[in-house]
Amino acid sequence: MILATILFWVFAVILVGAALLVVGLRNIVHSAIALVLVFAMAAGVYLLLDAEFIAIVQILIYAGAVTILILFALMLTRITGQPTTNPSNRLWPVAFIISALVGLCIVLAIMLSPHAVSDVSNGASQLPANINNVARIGQLLYSPSAYSYVLPFEIASVVLLVAIIGAIVIAREE
Amino acid sequence: MGLTLYHFLILGAVLFCIGLYGAIAKRNAIAVLMGIEIMLNAVNVTLVGFSFFNTVKPYATYLTGQIFAIFIITVAAAEAAVALAMVIAIYRKRNTVDVSEINMMKW
């Protein structure tokens, strides 16, 4: 428990610091590298929450695929007429105030509203003893007989197909 | 002091705000996309946290929050692919990715 708490604070501090670097750095390639750190630390937080499958998927898809995609887009594009490659708007103080207000509202809502879930729990104990997280998610996603998410899973495949075709059609040379 | 649900909810909220600032204050379209990715990650942290601390009996064994997070990751990957294709297409037409100068839909 103590180790989990220490790990949580390490992950959380690096996560927030890296996210601040992403929005704060002047060079956008450095921002993209900081984004890798954000994704990796989020995967660590998922591991603390007994979500091993999501942690692995986070590393594979976010830290692997999305970051490479962003780096390729950075390689192919350039911002013009600016001293740096990651400039802010003229109205960035307004953006700061808006995001601070949104954050204040969320924190107030978290603190003031009653939760339907308990504050302290051991998530691992809720699953049967002989089944792990990955097997449970596999059952929930694929088994058509029990309570499962087969239909959303199939719809997600259609979404991915549309994304593939859409990306090709949009980015193709005329 | 052990970890409570509040730790993860506050972490998600802070991360969401940083992403929101990046999404509305940046001029480079790809930086806007990075802000959106940070926001999606914040939501995932919140959902997985709720899934971990959920003890309501029928739903706890269904791992609802984790399944939601998986679908969010799927849709976020699709969104990133399409959005970056759009950025590249716009760059080819306008020779910039400055969102302040991309005003084709303004009249």
Side-chain angles (χ1 to χ4, degrees), chain A residues 105-146:
Chain A
C105 291
I106 297 174
V107 172
L108 274 181
I110 290 169
M111 288 305 176
L112 297 182
S113 59
H115 293 153
V117 297
S118 70
D119 288 342
V120 184
S121 112
N122 182 9
S125 66
Q126 296 162 25
L127 291 180
N130 58 349
I131 197 164
N132 63 21
N133 177 261
V134 181
R136 184 67 187 144
I137 285 178
Q139 284 178 2
L140 285 173
L141 279 182
Y142 294 119
S143 65
S145 57

Side-chain angles (χ1 to χ4, degrees), chain A residues 47-67:
Chain A
L47 279 181
L48 283 182
L49 290 169
D50 284 349
E52 298 95 0
F53 181 72
I54 295 180
I56 300 299
V57 165
Q58 170 91 8
I59 294 286
L60 282 176
I61 292 183
Y62 273 116
V66 170
T67 309

Side-chain angles (χ1 to χ4, degrees), chain A residues 1 4-5 8-9 12 15-16 19-20 22-25 28 31-32 35 38-39 42 45-46 48-51 53-54 57-58 61-62 66 69-70 73-74 76-80 82 85-89 92 95-96 98-99 102-103 106-107 110-111 113 115-124 126-127 133 136-137 140-141 147 149 152-153 156 159-160 163 166-167 170-173, chain B residues 1-11 13-31 33-35 37-38 40-45 48-57 59-82 84-89 91-101:
Chain A
M1 199 52 168
T5 309
F8 171 80
W9 284 110
L15 185 52
V16 172
L20 287 173
V22 169
V23 298
L25 283 175
I28 195 161
S31 292
L35 198 63
V38 170
F39 293 153
V45 172
Y46 298 149
L48 283 182
L49 290 169
D50 284 349
F53 181 72
I54 295 180
V57 165
Q58 170 91 8
I61 292 183
Y62 273 116
V66 170
L69 210 58
I70 285 175
L74 289 178
L76 292 172
T77 61
R78 186 173 299 112
I79 191 164
T80 51
Q82 297 291 328
T85 52
N86 193 7
S88 291
N89 272 329
W92 69 267
F96 183 81
I98 289 174
S99 50
V102 170
I106 297 174
V107 172
I110 290 169
M111 288 305 176
S113 59
H115 293 153
V117 297
S118 70
D119 288 342
V120 184
S121 112
N122 182 9
Q126 296 162 25
L127 291 180
N133 177 261
R136 184 67 187 144
I137 285 178
L140 285 173
L141 279 182
Y147 179 93
Y149 299 88
F153 183 77
V159 169
L160 286 177
I170 289 171
R172 190 181 52 185
E173 303 254 10
Chain B
M1 192 181 78
L3 291 174
T4 63
L5 177 61
Y6 291 99
H7 287 81
F8 295 95
L9 293 187
I10 300 289
L11 175 64
V14 170
L15 211 54
F16 187 86
C17 294
I18 296 171
L20 181 64
Y21 173 79
I24 57 182
K26 287 297 172 184
R27 295 184 74 153
N28 195 329
I30 299 174
L33 279 172
M34 289 187 199
E37 296 294 336
I38 294 177
L40 288 164
N41 263 286
V43 173
N44 275 348
V45 167
V48 178
F50 271 123
S51 171
F52 182 76
F53 289 102
N54 184 5
T55 50
V56 184
K57 209 48 201 169
Y59 302 111
T61 51
Y62 291 140
L63 296 176
T64 314
Q66 294 191 22
I67 301 284
F68 262 67
I70 289 172
F71 285 118
I72 287 177
I73 289 174
T74 310
V75 174
E79 170 257 336
V82 173
L84 290 171
M86 284 171 66
V87 168
I88 289 172
Y91 179 73
R92 206 173 279 144
K93 272 205 170 52
R94 306 288 297 251
N95 262 318
T96 186
V97 288
D98 189 342
V99 289
S100 310
E101 294 179 15

